[in-house]
Amino acid sequence: MAKARNNPDPASGGEMPPEIAAMTYEQAIESLEAIIDRIEQGEIGLEESIAEYRRGVLLVRRCEAVIGAAEQQVKELSLGEVERLAAEPDARREARD
């Protein structure tokens, strides 16, 4: 009988390993490129290729998360700037009165 797993499979949307979750975008891209090179050059066997592919999926998810967070920050900063600019005419008008 198969033993139930306590930890969810990260490649299927479960928890991300801490070492990947702590990576910067640049570190994740560098690791992903290294995996691609190793697989393409045939340096590793089938089983290890599959394991590395799974790790690659997690690295892509990390990159997507970093990009998503950066996009959100840009949106928030842009919105704040728009609000500031919209308030400026009111402040100038009040200063004249």
Side-chain angles (χ1 to χ4, degrees), residues 48-86:
E48 191 175 351
S49 291
I50 293 169
E52 288 292 284
Y53 185 87
R54 283 192 180 117
R55 181 172 171 79
V57 168
L58 295 173
L59 290 165
V60 167
R61 288 185 184 154
R62 174 63 184 153
C63 290
E64 290 172 342
V66 172
I67 289 171
E71 287 176 343
Q72 183 61 36
Q73 288 178 358
V74 169
K75 285 178 186 176
E76 290 172 9
L77 290 169
S78 296
L79 180 59
E81 187 63 15
V82 167
E83 290 172 352
R84 184 188 68 78
L85 291 172

Side-chain angles (χ1 to χ4, degrees), residues 1-20:
M1 187 167 146
K3 185 177 179 179
R5 292 191 294 190
N6 292 334
N7 296 329
D9 179 9
S12 66
E15 293 179 24
M16 186 169 294
E19 70 274 6
I20 292 177

